[in-house]
Amino acid sequence: MKTAARPNDVNQAKVFKFDVRETSNTRDSKYVLLLNDSNTAIRDQMKMNALVGLDDNLAEVIGFEKIQNDPSLLVAT
């Protein structure tokens, strides 16, 4: 899990994507980018930048508000 306080910082998306690409071959994990969307909505472009080229089952972008409403989203399955 990677967290970011600025939900629309494209550099955070790039770092997340790089980390997933570099480690996914050696780890059997689900990768999550958790963004602070308490004051600012997450733009679709941010999600696209973070996930482009990654398998849909490998990584996802979630806003903190969604986790507050359903903490079970962070439970490993």
Side-chain angles (χ1 to χ4, degrees), residues 21-75:
R21 285 185 176 161
E22 291 299 309
T23 61
S24 63
N25 291 332
T26 59
R27 295 184 183 156
D28 184 24
S29 300
K30 173 83 177 205
Y31 297 84
V32 176
L33 177 57
L34 181 61
L35 300 174
N36 181 359
D37 60 347
S38 298
N39 297 320
T40 305
I42 301 167
R43 289 189 229 130
D44 289 336
Q45 184 69 30
M46 177 64 173
K47 291 180 182 180
M48 188 178 81
N49 285 334
L51 300 175
V52 68
L54 299 178
D55 186 329
D56 291 340
N57 298 320
L58 182 62
E60 67 180 312
V61 176
I62 300 176
F64 183 67
E65 293 283 323
K66 191 172 182 180
I67 298 300
Q68 283 183 313
N69 293 329
D70 186 4
S72 68
L73 292 171
L74 294 180
V75 176

Side-chain angles (χ1 to χ4, degrees), residues 6-25:
R6 292 172 291 169
N8 294 304
D9 182 352
V10 70
N11 291 321
Q12 293 293 328
K14 290 177 182 178
V15 169
F16 174 74
K17 185 171 41 178
F18 176 81
D19 289 347
V20 172
R21 285 185 176 161
E22 291 299 309
T23 61
S24 63
N25 291 332

